[in-house]
Amino acid sequence: AEDVDPGSWSLKRLDVARDFEDVDQAAVVIRALAPIHRPWARRNLVHADPTKNGAQTLMVGSGAGVVRLYDKHAETHGAAPLGSVRWEAECKTGWLAAYGQMKRLNDVSEGAADRLARDRWEWSHMGAEVAGDLNRLVERVRASGLTPREQAGFLGWLVMQAAGQGWEPGSSATLAKYRKTQRDLGIAAPTDLVTTGAVVRRLDWDSGREVQRVA
């Protein structure tokens, strides 16, 4: 039989991951990031994942792949330090080819995997700021370039999303504008505007830590 080069084998799936340390109130951050709209994502949910020991998990994606953000401390029953959060992308052929330029085993490299991971990180918007209080949220919305009337509608939409109410504006054009504005601003309302205080927090890809600042 003729020898077959393993490097020519088709690549069907590749998983990439990034761990974050010192995440204060991991469940608050995970829930707050859930309402952000991700283009082409057919799934967007937060649940206590039974495959991860009931860890609070945000999952977004489609048949081409999914991205998860979950409490690693809970998933490992405390083996990982408190405040450990894992981001992981399960990438199938469509994502591999389009965002990592990988179709065959020979295409896999550290650079290609890093390119794929960073692209899916940006798409997932899991590095968005979680505003710590209502004043900070209003400040960011007022700088958005929307008209005063649009600001009021957009702010209400953000807060009701965070509260799990699922309110949508009357027109699809307005909804699309709100979604794009949220992605452009890179901000989310926390699920509890009272107990989180005035701290603004986000997951920083380069440092692998949660970055906090007082607004």
Side-chain angles (χ1 to χ4, degrees):
E2 186 176 327
D3 290 340
V4 177
D5 175 16
S8 67
W9 292 351
S10 295
L11 195 60
K12 299 298 183 183
R13 175 176 160 178
L14 182 69
D15 294 356
V16 290
R18 181 76 164 109
D19 287 337
F20 296 88
E21 301 174 352
D22 300 326
V23 179
D24 185 32
Q25 302 182 62
V28 171
V29 173
I30 290 169
R31 290 196 304 270
L33 294 171
I36 298 175
H37 178 255
R38 286 90 177 174
W40 307 292
R42 296 178 181 177
R43 287 179 283 181
N44 190 335
L45 61 102
V46 175
H47 66 303
D49 193 338
T51 70
K52 300 186 183 302
N53 295 319
Q56 190 86 5
T57 302
L58 168 59
M59 182 179 71
V60 300
S62 65
V66 295
V67 173
R68 296 180 182 87
L69 185 71
Y70 59 90
D71 185 339
K72 188 66 177 173
H73 174 73
E75 188 259 344
T76 60
H77 285 301
L82 183 65
S84 299
V85 169
R86 172 164 290 183
W87 175 93
E88 62 183 26
E90 179 185 304
C91 307
K92 298 181 181 179
T93 54
W95 281 10
L96 289 170
Y99 309 116
Q101 290 75 55
M102 290 181 282
K103 296 182 179 180
R104 302 191 180 279
L105 194 57
N106 271 338
D107 298 329
V108 179
S109 67
E110 183 177 344
D114 181 69
R115 181 168 57 246
L116 174 67
R118 287 177 178 272
D119 183 277
R120 294 297 82 192
W121 167 254
E122 294 297 331
W123 171 81
S124 72
H125 291 283
M126 293 180 184
E129 281 190 350
V130 177
D133 68 353
L134 190 57
N135 286 335
R136 174 58 178 168
L137 198 62
V138 171
E139 176 186 320
R140 291 296 302 276
V141 171
R142 291 185 67 181
S144 65
L146 298 174
T147 67
R149 182 174 181 177
E150 288 173 332
Q151 290 174 24
F154 178 56
L155 183 61
W157 178 75
L158 286 176
V159 172
M160 292 187 73
Q161 268 194 325
Q165 299 300 311
W167 172 77
E168 293 187 358
S171 74
S172 58
T174 300
L175 177 60
K177 186 170 186 176
Y178 284 176
R179 286 173 169 175
K180 182 179 185 304
T181 301
Q182 183 180 31
R183 293 195 300 269
D184 290 346
L185 290 177
I187 196 167
T191 53
D192 191 334
L193 283 165
V194 176
T195 61
T196 53
V199 175
V200 177
R201 63 191 75 221
R202 66 177 177 85
L203 301 179
D204 182 68
W205 179 270
D206 291 326
S207 67
R209 308 179 77 87
E210 180 183 66
V211 175
Q212 296 186 5
R213 60 188 176 84
V214 178

